[in-house]
CSV table of all heavy atoms in Angstrom, one decimal:
chain,number,residue,atom,x,y,z
A,12,LYS,N,-51.0,23.2,-47.5
A,12,LYS,CA,-51.4,22.9,-48.9
A,12,LYS,C,-52.6,23.8,-49.3
A,12,LYS,O,-53.7,23.7,-48.7
A,12,LYS,CB,-51.9,21.4,-48.9
A,12,LYS,CG,-52.3,20.9,-50.3
A,12,LYS,CD,-51.1,21.0,-51.3
A,12,LYS,CE,-51.5,20.4,-52.6
A,12,LYS,NZ,-50.4,20.4,-53.6
A,14,TYR,N,-55.0,25.1,-52.3
A,14,TYR,CA,-55.5,24.8,-53.7
A,14,TYR,C,-56.1,26.1,-54.2
A,14,TYR,O,-56.7,26.9,-53.5
A,14,TYR,CB,-56.7,23.8,-53.6
A,14,TYR,CG,-56.2,22.4,-53.2
A,14,TYR,CD1,-56.5,21.8,-52.0
A,14,TYR,CD2,-55.4,21.6,-54.1
A,14,TYR,CE1,-56.1,20.6,-51.6
A,14,TYR,CE2,-55.0,20.3,-53.8
A,14,TYR,CZ,-55.4,19.8,-52.5
A,14,TYR,OH,-55.0,18.6,-52.2
A,15,GLY,N,-56.0,26.3,-55.5
A,15,GLY,CA,-56.5,27.5,-56.2
A,15,GLY,C,-55.7,28.7,-56.0
A,15,GLY,O,-54.6,28.6,-55.5
A,21,THR,N,-58.3,27.7,-51.3
A,21,THR,CA,-58.7,26.8,-50.2
A,21,THR,C,-57.5,26.3,-49.5
A,21,THR,O,-56.6,25.7,-50.1
A,21,THR,CB,-59.4,25.5,-50.8
A,21,THR,OG1,-60.6,25.9,-51.5
A,21,THR,CG2,-59.8,24.6,-49.7
A,22,LYS,N,-57.4,26.6,-48.2
A,22,LYS,CA,-56.3,26.2,-47.4
A,22,LYS,C,-56.6,24.9,-46.7
A,22,LYS,O,-57.2,24.8,-45.6
A,22,LYS,CB,-56.0,27.3,-46.3
A,22,LYS,CG,-55.6,28.6,-46.9
A,22,LYS,CD,-55.3,29.7,-45.9
A,22,LYS,CE,-54.8,30.9,-46.6
A,22,LYS,NZ,-54.4,32.0,-45.6
A,23,ALA,N,-56.3,23.8,-47.5
A,23,ALA,CA,-56.7,22.5,-47.0
A,23,ALA,C,-55.8,22.1,-45.8
A,23,ALA,O,-56.3,21.4,-44.9
A,23,ALA,CB,-56.5,21.5,-48.1
A,24,LEU,N,-54.6,22.5,-45.8
A,24,LEU,CA,-53.7,22.4,-44.6
A,24,LEU,C,-53.1,23.7,-44.4
A,24,LEU,O,-52.6,24.4,-45.4
A,24,LEU,CB,-52.6,21.3,-44.9
A,24,LEU,CG,-53.0,19.9,-45.2
A,24,LEU,CD1,-51.8,19.1,-45.5
A,24,LEU,CD2,-53.9,19.3,-44.0
A,41,GLY,N,-61.2,14.0,-38.0
A,41,GLY,CA,-61.7,15.3,-38.3
A,41,GLY,C,-62.9,15.2,-39.1
A,41,GLY,O,-63.2,14.2,-39.8
A,42,THR,N,-63.6,16.3,-39.2
A,42,THR,CA,-64.9,16.4,-39.9
A,42,THR,C,-64.6,16.3,-41.4
A,42,THR,O,-63.4,16.5,-41.8
A,42,THR,CB,-65.7,17.7,-39.6
A,42,THR,OG1,-64.8,18.8,-39.8
A,42,THR,CG2,-66.1,17.7,-38.2
A,43,SER,N,-65.6,16.0,-42.2
A,43,SER,CA,-65.4,16.0,-43.7
A,43,SER,C,-64.9,17.3,-44.1
A,43,SER,O,-65.4,18.4,-43.8
A,43,SER,CB,-66.8,15.7,-44.3
A,43,SER,OG,-66.6,15.7,-45.7
A,44,GLY,N,-63.9,17.3,-45.0
A,44,GLY,CA,-63.3,18.5,-45.5
A,44,GLY,C,-62.3,19.2,-44.7
A,44,GLY,O,-61.8,20.2,-45.0
A,45,SER,N,-61.9,18.5,-43.6
A,45,SER,CA,-60.9,19.1,-42.6
A,45,SER,C,-59.5,18.9,-43.1
A,45,SER,O,-58.6,19.5,-42.5
A,45,SER,CB,-61.1,18.6,-41.2
A,45,SER,OG,-60.9,17.2,-41.2
A,46,GLY,N,-59.3,18.1,-44.1
A,46,GLY,CA,-57.9,17.9,-44.6
A,46,GLY,C,-57.2,16.6,-44.4
A,46,GLY,O,-56.0,16.5,-44.6
A,47,LYS,N,-58.0,15.6,-43.9
A,47,LYS,CA,-57.4,14.3,-43.6
A,47,LYS,C,-56.7,13.7,-44.8
A,47,LYS,O,-55.6,13.2,-44.8
A,47,LYS,CB,-58.4,13.3,-43.0
A,47,LYS,CG,-59.2,13.9,-41.8
A,47,LYS,CD,-60.2,12.9,-41.3
A,47,LYS,CE,-61.3,12.6,-42.3
A,47,LYS,NZ,-62.2,13.7,-42.5
A,48,SER,N,-57.5,13.6,-45.9
A,48,SER,CA,-57.0,13.0,-47.1
A,48,SER,C,-55.8,13.7,-47.7
A,48,SER,O,-54.8,13.2,-48.1
A,48,SER,CB,-58.1,12.8,-48.2
A,48,SER,OG,-59.0,11.9,-47.8
A,49,THR,N,-55.9,15.1,-47.6
A,49,THR,CA,-54.8,15.9,-48.1
A,49,THR,C,-53.5,15.6,-47.3
A,49,THR,O,-52.4,15.4,-47.9
A,49,THR,CB,-55.2,17.4,-48.0
A,49,THR,OG1,-56.3,17.6,-48.7
A,49,THR,CG2,-54.0,18.3,-48.5
A,50,LEU,N,-53.6,15.5,-46.0
A,50,LEU,CA,-52.5,15.3,-45.2
A,50,LEU,C,-51.9,13.9,-45.5
A,50,LEU,O,-50.6,13.8,-45.7
A,50,LEU,CB,-52.9,15.3,-43.7
A,50,LEU,CG,-51.8,14.9,-42.7
A,50,LEU,CD1,-50.6,15.9,-42.8
A,50,LEU,CD2,-52.4,14.9,-41.3
A,52,ASN,N,-52.1,12.2,-48.2
A,52,ASN,CA,-51.5,12.3,-49.6
A,52,ASN,C,-50.1,12.9,-49.5
A,52,ASN,O,-49.2,12.5,-50.2
A,52,ASN,CB,-52.3,13.1,-50.5
A,52,ASN,CG,-53.6,12.3,-50.9
A,52,ASN,OD1,-53.7,11.1,-50.8
A,52,ASN,ND2,-54.6,13.0,-51.5
A,58,ASP,N,-48.6,13.6,-53.2
A,58,ASP,CA,-48.8,15.0,-53.6
A,58,ASP,C,-47.7,15.8,-52.8
A,58,ASP,O,-47.2,15.3,-51.8
A,58,ASP,CB,-50.2,15.4,-53.3
A,58,ASP,CG,-50.6,16.6,-54.1
A,58,ASP,OD1,-49.8,17.2,-54.8
A,58,ASP,OD2,-51.8,17.0,-54.0
B,1,ADP,N1,-57.6,18.6,-55.6
B,1,ADP,C1,-58.3,19.5,-54.9
B,1,ADP,N2,-58.6,20.7,-55.4
B,1,ADP,C2,-59.2,21.7,-54.7
B,1,ADP,N3,-59.6,21.6,-53.5
B,1,ADP,C3,-59.4,20.4,-52.9
B,1,ADP,C4,-58.7,19.3,-53.5
B,1,ADP,N4,-58.6,18.3,-52.6
B,1,ADP,C5,-59.2,18.7,-51.5
B,1,ADP,N5,-59.7,20.0,-51.6
B,1,ADP,C6,-60.3,20.7,-50.6
B,1,ADP,O1,-59.5,20.7,-49.4
B,1,ADP,C7,-60.2,20.6,-48.2
B,1,ADP,C8,-59.8,19.4,-47.5
B,1,ADP,O2,-60.2,18.2,-48.2
B,1,ADP,P1,-59.9,16.7,-47.8
B,1,ADP,O3,-58.4,16.6,-47.6
B,1,ADP,O4,-60.4,15.8,-48.9
B,1,ADP,O5,-60.6,16.5,-46.4
B,1,ADP,P2,-61.1,15.2,-45.7
B,1,ADP,O6,-60.4,14.0,-46.3
B,1,ADP,O7,-60.8,15.5,-44.2
B,1,ADP,O8,-62.6,15.1,-45.9
B,1,ADP,C9,-61.7,20.6,-48.7
B,1,ADP,O9,-62.1,22.0,-48.6
B,1,ADP,C10,-61.6,20.1,-50.1
B,1,ADP,O10,-62.7,20.6,-50.9
Side-chain angles (χ1 to χ4, degrees):
K12 182 63 174 181
Y14 293 108
T21 298
K22 297 182 176 181
L24 302 176
T42 54
S43 178
S45 61
K47 304 180 298 293
S48 293
T49 301
L50 175 60
N52 287 344
D58 202 352

